[in-house]
Amino acid sequence: MGEKQTATNIDSDLHARARAAVRLVKASGQRYTLAQFLREAITAQLRVIADDYNQGRPIAPDVDPLPPGRVG
């Protein structure tokens, strides 16, 4: 996986719930990681946003950093 890794801050409760979801899947005997969960969640949300805001077209990568700040 030679891709660059990034760090993104998320609320600790959301992180804990994602970790719990991973444990539920693993308890069924499947191999599953938090990284896999996050990739799948981000991919699903990208599809939603592409459909809602980009006429269904894939979203092109944007390497420019977003301004700092928090929603909510």
Side-chain angles (χ1 to χ4, degrees), residues 1-5:
M1 239 215 281
E3 294 185 35
K4 180 181 176 188
Q5 302 293 307

Side-chain angles (χ1 to χ4, degrees), residues 14-30:
L14 188 58
H15 186 255
R17 290 173 60 203
R19 192 171 39 241
V22 169
R23 288 187 202 279
L24 285 170
V25 174
K26 290 176 84 165
S28 75
Q30 294 186 42

Side-chain angles (χ1 to χ4, degrees), residues 40-56:
E40 291 171 357
I42 291 168
T43 299
Q45 188 61 21
L46 283 168
R47 278 193 296 272
V48 168
I49 292 172
D51 288 344
D52 291 350
Y53 298 96
N54 207 34
Q55 294 80 41

Side-chain angles (χ1 to χ4, degrees), residues 48-72:
V48 168
I49 292 172
D51 288 344
D52 291 350
Y53 298 96
N54 207 34
Q55 294 80 41
R57 296 185 314 258
I59 298 170
D62 179 348
V63 298
D64 294 330
L66 293 170
R70 253 184 106 140
V71 175

